[in-house]
Amino acid sequence: MWSLKQYRRHLPVIAVQAPKLKVGTNYLPSDMLVLAHQGERIILQADNRALMNALQNQGAGSSNAELIAEVKTLRTELQEIKANTASTAQRTGSTM
């Protein structure tokens, strides 16, 4: 194990030799040091696997059409709730 002094002495060499993934990568073939740049994302292997599966299977499972249908259903329910609330307020003499 290196001491702090050894790390400081070798750090410039490590930084120069570390791969700079300027175009990014979805997969590292082995454990390695890399020079990460500001704004870049580094995620865990399991999270990367889940993300890649989700991106590859965009058409499978839930789709935008299903989400749109659900939003429309919720809008209809909200309109019914508003109508019922207005009706109740009118019958009881309350104002909205």
Side-chain angles (χ1 to χ4, degrees):
M1 177 155 250
W2 284 356
S3 68
L4 182 57
K5 187 176 180 178
Q6 288 172 311
Y7 274 111
R8 286 185 178 153
R9 187 174 70 233
H10 288 91
L11 189 57
V13 174
I14 292 170
V16 169
Q17 294 176 350
K20 298 172 182 81
L21 306 173
K22 289 183 180 180
V23 296
T25 183
N26 292 330
Y27 179 77
L28 296 175
S30 62
D31 290 352
M32 64 176 67
L33 292 172
V34 296
L35 183 58
H37 302 90
Q38 181 179 0
E40 292 180 335
R41 178 184 321 194
I42 299 173
I43 62 174
L44 298 173
Q45 178 184 21
D47 294 340
N48 187 49
R49 191 178 311 116
L51 173 62
M52 296 311 296
N53 285 337
L55 290 172
Q56 290 170 358
N57 298 322
Q58 281 183 328
S62 292
S63 67
N64 284 345
E66 291 172 353
L67 293 173
I68 291 169
E70 183 65 22
V71 168
K72 287 180 178 180
T73 300
L74 290 171
R75 282 184 181 166
T76 300
E77 289 178 18
L78 181 58
Q79 288 172 349
E80 291 171 2
I81 290 169
K82 285 181 176 181
N84 288 338
T85 302
S87 174
T88 300
Q90 187 177 27
R91 283 193 311 264
T92 60
S94 299
T95 59
M96 292 178 47

